[in-house]
């Protein structure tokens, strides 16, 4: 989307949601899970301009409704409070009342207005929040800007995730250092269009909320919406960005000469988190990246890439280190993108297997060796135009079945 | 689609593709597979009016192209020859020449014109047919109308299928007994729109090819196109119907007073085969049927039913006998059908779990007991209109992963 060559974006290895100026976080054990931390918050020193994207499921859980209401007031947030273990979804009127109460309790605890608080929940669908534990937990939240506080927050938002997910990138705008930090959760029920995933991103950039929303939308389409673990979409998912403005650059908008630097840093943060989610897909042993070029449009390229990375048969072949490119053809053939079936090239890693839709001789041994790695890249060239796109996913393993055949029990 | 009450359709337990008057079959071991039969044929005493539906993949394998050419000449077929083990897909110019040669060799062997022969292949993509074996095999084919010959044919078309799939139904038209027999294969790469499945249906009904195509299209949409094993679509799939006309009823068309009897018997045959394919899905231990009512349209109902039955999370929950209706909500929410998120009812078997989108108390023990059975039915009422539809699939198990992580090796 952006020409990355002229833009300096640096990864901050130790960075997190508390690295941008003005942000603190916390995570506590409220007792919703047996022993792990299960309630977290990010707070900002000032009301932060914000932007958000939400699940496209027909069923949007109460916390999403309440968060949307908060943001609608003045497009600002000063705190976001998240619980794991219980999604507060399909919980009707009581669920909505509980989400409001979770917001009110948080606002009171942090001494800010209700509409400056966003709430999010993730976990089992159809159960009510244990409000006594939620409220007690909220009152234990003492946000700080330490690495430990970031880690507590990153842990508290997880469900079946095996690892915490964080990212941090910096760029320079108007001579000021701009930092973007993020945390995310997501492991199963992960698919394009905000499936079961939560993402919380902080930045000290000075940017108005409309511009932030525009940047976020563009960047989400090529990052979070391009990952899939199991083709499922959840009721609860959202990504929030809060911008404190404390870096004191001139206010960013698409007209700002260094706008692309901001978008690029935001994209780096989102992409990094998205790949971490894909790699930590339930039961996954490998990260799979599919790059499609030569499509009629970028949208077509992204469709084909997602179709391949979401194919159960491709995913099991990758798990089995089997260079079964026929399944890649199957997935491409099944997509709604424009495809000329006579001109397709396919490579796995650097090993080309199909040229002009014809099989090429290749070393099965080298292919197997490559597929036994943990980072698999599949390249497809449709030879129709200049459209390109990438998607990320993971392999489908025994453990995916194991985890999901016994999630609640 | 049809009011079944006034129509008499009888299942013929022992029936097969050779039960309708005029049909014979055969199956031999041509040496494409290690020891199993791998080449089969159905032949008719007369050129039979025919109809066909094909995969909607962008990549249609050479045998499909050749079969389409055959049918295009006069909408008649007298023989269909199928090999397993090799799909002859993504095989380019040579693949097309091989498919023509397979057709010519068959036509010569049976002493009929080339354009009265259809060919089909199923198996691994990207490998050329071993034509010496195919040709030798064709010359061993000696079709008869015995149960053993039907069984040989049913076996020869299988790939990872564990069981043969056949069905036979009878009805009466113009006082004449009309028989429809069918055989099918399909286990993995099974999804709506003619995924990796082959179906061969014979009937002695007297029906013109246009009417047969119309009946077939309508019936395919509610049967074969409503099954899914893994969301994959193949390059090779087709369903063929051949009508010998030897039952001597007055020629059938939608204007015939007993048209619905024929369509109903055809639907019974297709649905029976479709369910057998779903139940024999790779690694499956259970047949899952999803009935959706109250949709705005039948199309919407079918979309929702397919979405549920195709959900990896629903499939693993069924495998684990876990009454996790939240995943059914997840799948409904993700569908493109019109849904009011506040009025949905969900039952698993006779146990209602969601009413007006609110959880109901139910016995987890009884639900587990029900889900431990082998035939699971899920009911969803969208409470929006009169649209209804059904889809069939199976659970997702360790064995699915096992089979597909090592298919070629």
């Amino acid at each position: 989307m952006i020409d990355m060559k002229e833009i300096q974006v640096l990864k901050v290895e130790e960075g997190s949601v508390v690295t941008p100026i003005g942000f603190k976080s916390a995570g506590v054990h409220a007792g919703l899970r047996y022993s792990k931390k299960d309630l977290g918050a990010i707070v900002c020193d000032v009301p932060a301009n914000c932007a958000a994207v939400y699940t496209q499921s027909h069923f949007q859980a109460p916390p999403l409704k309440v968060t949307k209401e908060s943001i609608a007031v003045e497009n600002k947030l000063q705190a976001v409070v998240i619980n794991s273990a219980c999604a507060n979804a399909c919980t009707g009127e009581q669920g909505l009342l509980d989400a409001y109460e979770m917001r009110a309790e948080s606002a009171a605890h942090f001494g800010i207005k209700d509409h400056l608080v966003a709430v999010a929940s993730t976990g089992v669908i159809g159960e009510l929040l244990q409000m006594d534990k939620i409220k007690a937990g909220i009152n234990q939240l003492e946000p700080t800007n330490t690495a430990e506080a970031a880690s507590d927050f990153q842990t508290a938002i997880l469900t079946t995730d095996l690892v915490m997910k964080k990212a941090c990138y910096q760029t320079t705008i108007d001579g000021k250092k701009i930092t973007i930090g993020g945390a995310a959760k997501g492991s199963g029920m992960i698919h394009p269009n905000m499936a079961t995933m939560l993402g919380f991103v902080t930045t000290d950039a000075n940017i108005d909320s409309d511009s932030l929303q525009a940047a976020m939308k563009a960047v989400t389409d090529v990052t979070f919406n391009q990952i899939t673990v199991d083709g499922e979409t959840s009721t609860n998912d959202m990504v929030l960005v809060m911008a404190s403005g404390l870096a004191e650059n001139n206010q960013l908008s698409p007209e700002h000469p260094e706008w692309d630097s901001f978008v690029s840093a935001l994209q780096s943060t989102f992409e990094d988190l998205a790949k971490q989610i894909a790699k930590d897909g339930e039961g996954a042993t490998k990260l799979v990246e599919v790059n499609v070029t030569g499509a009629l449009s970028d949208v077509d390229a992204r469709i084909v890439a997602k179709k391949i990375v979401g194919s159960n048969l491709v995913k099991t072949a990758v798990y089995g280190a089997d260079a079964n490119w026929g399944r890649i053809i199957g997935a491409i053939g099944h997509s709604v993108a424009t495809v000329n079936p006579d001109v397709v090239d396919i490579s796995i890693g650097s090993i080309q297997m199909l040229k002009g839709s014809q099989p090429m001789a290749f070393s099965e041994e080298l292919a197997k060796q490559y597929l036994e790695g943990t980072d698999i890249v599949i390249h497809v060239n449709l030879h129709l135009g200049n459209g390109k796109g990438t998607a990320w996913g993971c392999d489908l393993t025994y453990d995916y079945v194991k985890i999901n055949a016994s999630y609640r029990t």
Side-chain angles (χ1 to χ4, degrees), chain A:
Chain A
M1 189 177 59
I2 297 162
D3 182 357
M4 308 287 278
K5 275 167 284 186
E6 297 173 17
I7 295 167
Q8 275 278 13
V9 174
L10 299 174
K11 185 175 171 82
V12 184
E13 288 295 343
E14 300 306 310
S16 70
V17 289
V18 301
T19 309
I21 304 166
F23 292 94
K24 301 184 178 71
S25 71
V28 299
H29 178 241
L32 306 169
R33 301 207 287 182
Y34 184 67
S35 63
K36 288 183 186 163
K37 290 188 171 61
D38 47 24
L39 187 79
I42 298 172
V43 295
C44 187
D45 294 343
V46 297
N49 286 334
C50 74
V53 291
Y54 305 93
T55 181
Q56 293 183 12
S57 171
H58 294 299
F59 298 88
Q60 296 203 343
L64 273 72
K65 294 180 186 170
V66 171
T67 294
K68 284 181 178 177
E69 271 189 37
S70 283
I71 293 176
V73 178
E74 52 175 332
N75 292 316
K76 286 185 193 294
L77 288 176
Q78 198 165 354
V80 52
V81 179
I82 305 100
N83 74 276
S84 52
C86 173
N88 188 14
C90 296
T91 44
E93 190 58 31
Q94 187 58 49
L96 194 59
L97 293 173
D98 289 346
Y100 280 123
E101 193 173 357
M102 183 170 166
R103 181 176 72 163
E105 194 75 19
S106 302
H109 177 64
F110 295 125
I112 56 179
K113 290 178 185 157
D114 278 14
H115 75 259
L116 293 175
V117 178
V119 290
S121 298
T122 180
V124 174
I125 294 175
E127 294 180 2
L128 291 172
L129 287 174
Q130 299 178 61
M131 287 307 295
D132 51 339
K133 292 182 179 173
I134 294 277
K135 287 194 278 185
I138 288 167
N139 287 293
Q140 290 173 49
L141 291 167
E142 293 182 13
T144 65
N145 67 354
T146 62
E148 195 189 343
S151 169
D152 288 347
F153 174 78
Q154 290 153 19
T155 306
I157 64 176
L158 304 182
T159 54
T160 55
D161 308 57
L162 297 180
V163 299
M164 297 185 298
K165 293 153 188 87
K166 72 177 183 81
C168 186
Y169 288 82
Q170 286 178 331
T171 189
T172 304
I173 293 174
D174 299 325
K176 310 283 184 183
K177 185 168 73 182
I178 300 291
T179 306
I180 302 178
K185 67 91 28 178
S187 186
M189 221 189 244
I190 292 294
H191 196 60
N193 301 322
M194 295 298 100
T196 304
M197 58 153 298
L198 297 172
F200 303 101
V201 173
T202 57
T203 178
D204 45 24
N206 176 20
I207 179 170
D208 69 278
S209 58
D210 284 351
S211 298
L212 187 58
Q213 185 71 40
M216 184 185 191
K217 170 78 177 71
V219 163
T220 300
D221 280 347
V222 295
T223 57
F224 289 124
N225 280 343
Q226 283 297 105
I227 56 172
T228 181
V229 166
D230 54 15
E232 305 290 342
T233 299
S234 145
T235 51
N236 282 56
D237 304 330
M238 67 170 98
V239 179
L240 284 180
V241 186
M242 295 164 71
S244 71
L246 298 175
E248 299 187 332
N249 55 293
N250 297 327
Q251 186 168 290
L252 279 161
S253 73
E255 287 68 46
H256 190 291
E258 289 172 297
W259 170 249
D260 286 353
S261 295
F262 176 74
V263 175
S264 180
L266 192 68
Q267 182 170 342
S268 296
T269 306
F270 277 30
E271 180 175 318
D272 197 328
L273 292 171
K275 287 165 77 168
Q276 290 178 56
I277 290 173
K279 188 158 192 168
D280 194 27
E282 287 174 341
T285 66
K286 304 172 197 210
L287 174 68
V288 183
E289 174 174 312
V290 178
N291 291 310
V292 174
T293 54
L296 270 193
S297 66
D298 287 355
V299 170
D300 262 16
R302 294 204 294 267
I303 287 170
V304 170
K306 269 194 295 200
K307 204 79 194 175
I308 295 167
V309 89
S311 154
N312 276 357
L313 288 178
V314 172
K315 289 154 68 78
T316 45
V318 169
Y319 175 55
D322 179 12
N324 194 330
W325 56 262
R327 297 183 180 173
I328 300 172
I329 281 290
I332 299 169
H334 183 44
S335 81
V336 297
T338 301
V339 174
N340 175 344
D342 297 323
V343 299
V344 176
D345 297 349
I346 296 176
S347 301
I348 299 181
S350 61
I351 305 168
Q352 187 163 5
M353 298 183 183
L354 204 72
K355 187 178 167 65
S357 296
Q358 301 291 304
M360 296 179 70
F362 65 90
S363 160
E364 289 273 357
E365 198 162 337
L366 285 179
K368 192 165 185 62
Q369 203 174 309
Y370 176 76
L371 284 164
E372 278 167 350
T374 56
D375 287 77
I376 309 304
V377 183
I378 295 171
H379 302 277
V380 172
N381 190 332
L382 297 176
H383 288 294
L384 289 176
N386 297 317
K388 57 182 196 288
T390 301
W392 298 272
C394 59
D395 52 345
L396 174 61
T397 70
Y398 295 107
D399 278 353
Y400 177 84
V401 177
K402 186 174 179 181
I403 290 164
N404 286 301
S406 57
Y407 177 60
R408 296 189 321 153
T409 48

